[in-house]
Amino acid sequence: QRRAAERLLGRAPRGGGSLSVRLDTVDAVLRRSGVSPDGLAVAVVALTGPVPLRAETRDREERAWEEAYALLGALDAELTPWAERIRGDGLVRRLVRTPEAAGPLVAAAVRVLRALPVSPPTSRATFAARNLSGAHALDEGTPLATLVLSGLRFLTGFPDGAGAQWRREAWASAGLLMDDLSSTVLILNLRGTPSLDWMADAGEPAVLTLRSLTRHTPVAAVPTTGTVHVCENPAVLSAAADAFGPACPPLVCLQGQPSAAALTLLRGLSAQGAGLLYHGDFDWGGVRIAAALGRSVPWQPWRYTAAHYRAATARAAEAPDLTGPPAATPWDPALAVALAECGVRVEEEAVLDDLLADLGPRAR
């Protein structure tokens, strides 16, 4: 390279680790030598083709990206914050490198998200075959699956996580299933089918799969009281079964984030006129679960208000600190304020005696 520069310029270049040549010097040499009488710019075009201006290329590319992102405007208002985040966080640009590829990707994601959540739940492959280019359009690892998963988690409030099981449950939160057997819900003393009646007569908890809930409609009858209690943790349901057996009022346990099976069961009960009373952990994760449930079915708090939280913290000898970002409590805005002020978490197990005391007078 140094010898070539010396032959071109007629002098030895300076020493050092790098080599630079002034373009106006090269231009003068080309004109003077007659190799390119019109100078360096003409020579470069002759050798490599037209040279676009960087600013013009950058502006043209940004306009193309904006056109691709403009399709996000077709989403419902509740997804507007997610759409704004997608415009700025670079997820789409990482998934597909060009705006030409981004346009079809965003359009497909918008089409999917506008159709979610799905009720009754269906398989992800069947949904993709009906709404996209084919049954494998939402397969794991595809750019579309990654983008849609981000959007549906915002839509359903599904918490952060990782791993195959977490992704399975995240898809199921919007009604898209890998299968209809892995999604389950834990119940106590619901009746309506011979198998449910048999378990209720024994006062034993039962597990319902999504398959059983979608193949037999309705799978459970509304209790004579018209009310179903719903809890977050299995310990509550187990203690109720121990305390009251077959006399216990009907209970449904979410076991954390509402599964597709849990949502299907509760929607069915609500549609038949059942009133749902909900209790969960007093922490930011717990109120997120409650809010996510509220977006799918109506419920009333069961000892799950600011007053109940403050009473529980006053009795707690040692309570762990709250962790994670705060969340809204639309059923009782004062609860979010109380959680922030007290700064401690109260799990369902800590107020188990209160919950059982509520169930006792209702036991048959």
Side-chain angles (χ1 to χ4, degrees), residues 326-337:
T329 53
W331 64 94
D332 181 17
L335 175 56
V337 176

Side-chain angles (χ1 to χ4, degrees), residues 16-334:
S18 61
L19 173 63
S20 61
V21 176
R22 291 180 59 86
L23 297 185
D24 57 356
T25 302
V26 178
D27 181 81
V29 169
L30 294 176
R31 291 175 185 274
R32 186 171 59 250
S33 68
V35 171
S36 180
D38 294 321
L40 176 60
V42 173
V44 169
V45 171
L47 292 170
T48 66
V51 180
L53 296 176
R54 288 182 180 177
E56 292 180 357
T57 301
R58 184 170 57 250
D59 291 344
R60 186 166 54 251
E61 185 172 310
E62 286 303 316
R63 286 195 298 271
W65 278 108
E66 284 303 315
E67 290 176 4
Y69 286 136
L71 300 171
L72 293 170
L75 290 170
D76 294 337
E78 61 184 325
L79 279 171
T80 298
W82 175 78
E84 292 301 318
R85 191 186 73 192
I86 288 300
R87 291 174 183 269
D89 68 3
L91 174 60
V92 175
R93 297 189 186 221
R94 292 191 298 272
L95 293 172
V96 289
R97 298 295 182 179
T98 67
E100 292 76 18
L105 173 66
V106 173
V110 168
R111 189 158 61 250
V112 171
L113 292 172
R114 284 174 61 86
L116 297 179
V118 178
S119 182
T122 187
S123 76
R124 191 175 63 180
T126 300
F127 175 87
R130 291 173 178 170
N131 293 275
L132 297 167
S133 59
H136 298 287
L138 289 173
D139 282 359
E140 293 294 321
T142 62
L144 180 57
T146 301
L147 185 58
V148 168
L149 187 60
S150 171
L152 74 81
R153 287 184 52 233
F154 187 93
L155 186 67
T156 64
F158 197 79
D160 293 338
Q165 182 61 30
W166 173 83
R167 290 193 298 274
R168 179 191 298 270
E169 293 172 358
W171 284 106
S173 71
L176 298 181
L177 312 173
M178 303 297 290
D179 61 72
D180 57 4
L181 290 175
S182 60
S183 182
T184 62
V185 60
L186 185 62
I187 66 167
L188 176 65
N189 292 352
L190 280 177
R191 295 177 175 271
T193 68
S195 58
L196 289 182
D197 293 346
W198 184 81
M199 294 298 288
D201 288 339
E204 284 297 322
V207 176
L208 295 179
T209 66
L210 183 62
R211 175 185 170 88
S212 66
L213 289 163
T214 54
R215 287 170 64 89
H216 304 285
T217 305
V219 71
V222 174
T224 56
T225 61
T227 301
V228 175
H229 289 74
V230 184
C231 60
E232 181 183 342
N233 297 286
V236 176
L237 189 140
S238 179
D242 290 342
F244 308 116
C248 184
L251 267 173
V252 175
C253 179
L254 298 185
Q255 302 182 82
Q257 193 71 24
S259 66
L263 293 177
T264 299
L265 173 63
L266 294 177
R267 284 171 182 153
L269 290 169
S270 180
Q272 296 177 71
L276 305 178
L277 299 178
Y278 180 75
H279 188 280
D281 288 335
F282 284 115
D283 58 19
W284 296 127
V287 299
R288 281 191 176 83
I289 290 173
L293 181 64
R295 288 192 288 269
S296 298
V297 291
W299 56 266
Q300 295 297 318
W302 170 28
R303 289 187 174 270
Y304 204 49
T305 66
H308 294 110
Y309 170 67
R310 291 186 184 277
T313 59
R315 298 196 307 266
E318 293 184 9
D321 292 338
L322 282 176
T323 58
T329 53
W331 64 94
D332 181 17

